[in-house]
Amino acid sequence: MMRTRPLKVALLGCGVVGSQVARLMTTHADDLTARVGSPVELAGIAVRRPARVREGVPAELVTTDATALVKRGDIDVVIEVIGGIEPARTLITTAFEHGASVVSANKALLAQDGAALHAAAVERGADLYYEAAVAGAIPLLRPLRESLAGDTVNRILGIVNGTTNFILDRMESTGAGYSEALDEATALGYAEVDPTADVEGFDAAAKAAILAGIAFHTRVTLDDVHREGITEVTAADIASARRMGCTVKLLAICERTPDGRSVTARVHPAMIPLTHPLASVREAYNAVFVEAEAAGRLMFYGPGAGGAPTASAVLGDLVAACRNKLAGATGPGESAYARLPVSPMGEVATRYHISLDVADKPGVLAQVAAVFAQHGVSIDTVRQQGKAGEASLVVVTHQATDAALSATVEALRRLDTVRGVASTMRVEGE
């Protein structure tokens, strides 16, 4: 039977995502009612700048007092899309204290304080949903948490930041340098005025922490994730990758170690073969590969950002939270029973591409190969090119730890015949 008293929703934030949430709740009100089993009513919208014109948003719902809004005793679900750590954390915990469930898109907060927020939700018998925090509209967290609940996930490999993928795609397709590609991304609205969170990998690292925690039933925080951005990727790196039949992507990689006793989580640029499905992910799109024991390899692809796509994920969580409210139940909470340690990056083994500027004289290759051997790093291929007096060596290794590779590079820099290490980059996806 349809309940007549509406479920009331408070919306925190009415920017790019929040305004689309408000629009969809209004235009799809009848569908939401049918899918939930009760009318769903937008009861208030907290903003910082009330004078700003927000097309389609009822002015009478707008308030600057977010705390008072979440403390209202009649609010059933709070949607948080303001981002950042504070005041979002305090507002979410206050919502729990007053009986509301929470839907959030706040990857930074969840990567930092997810365990505490889950505990607060459980204590109050409330839900905490955050599908929109990772990969925008792509259904990813719910399949990991629910559809693969009976399986063992071994690895996640993905492109989870649209801004960096756009920049690298432009560098690949047009030959532009990093700065030129960033300027284009900014002009088109893909990059923020301050792009640090994206280009330095902070955004992707927060998402990697969330993915690893869910996939491996282990608490993983942002501090556990090794992070490198794309600011040092050059047009020469892109060209070198192309000569190898590869392209460069910023990847989030979460995996179990070979012995299964620990996990790793890392974000960094990497070369991947053009034959890999992730190599064809263009523009600002996201894609994530999940490798599970029984299910095998699964790929999730779609728009990873933007107001309407992210709002779609928020509304999906809203429906789930509202249904649970009607049933007097809660959905799946945190699953961290495995308590696996997170291995540091120095212990992670990957393949590497190293480009060296060397003197063009006999014996150089032998000296370089000896340094790799001394540090236990096995060479897969070597390519030499250049002209009289100048040359470059491109070395691709077999699996080596980050610590071993770092020691190798430092030793190479001390060789008289090595004039410089032009670049080092990991190779993934094979």
Side-chain angles (χ1 to χ4, degrees), residues 196-284:
T196 302
D198 293 321
V199 300
E200 294 291 358
F202 289 100
D203 175 84
K207 295 169 181 176
I210 294 170
L211 289 170
I214 293 173
F216 306 135
H217 305 279
T218 291
R219 287 179 179 169
V220 180
T221 69
L222 183 60
D223 290 339
D224 295 319
V225 182
H226 173 83
R227 175 193 55 79
E228 298 172 30
I230 66 166
T231 56
E232 300 301 318
V233 177
T234 66
D237 292 327
I238 301 291
S240 185
R242 189 182 301 114
R243 287 192 292 270
M244 288 177 57
C246 293
T247 189
V248 177
K249 299 291 186 182
L250 183 72
L251 299 179
I253 305 168
C254 313
E255 56 191 349
R256 296 178 188 271
T257 53
D259 62 9
R261 295 179 181 176
S262 63
V263 298
T264 65
R266 50 196 164 99
V267 167
H268 54 71
M271 295 180 179
I272 58 172
L274 293 174
T275 54
H276 194 283
L278 289 180
S280 62
V281 179
R282 311 296 297 273
E283 301 284 335

Side-chain angles (χ1 to χ4, degrees), residues 10 88 124 136 142 151 159 164 172 209 217 233 242 254 278 285 350 352 354 356 398:
R124 298 292 177 164
R142 189 171 284 109
D151 207 339
I159 298 165
T164 51
E172 165 71 30
H217 305 279
V233 177
R242 189 182 301 114
C254 313
L278 289 180
Y285 277 77
T350 61
Y352 286 87
I354 304 100
L356 305 170
H398 288 291

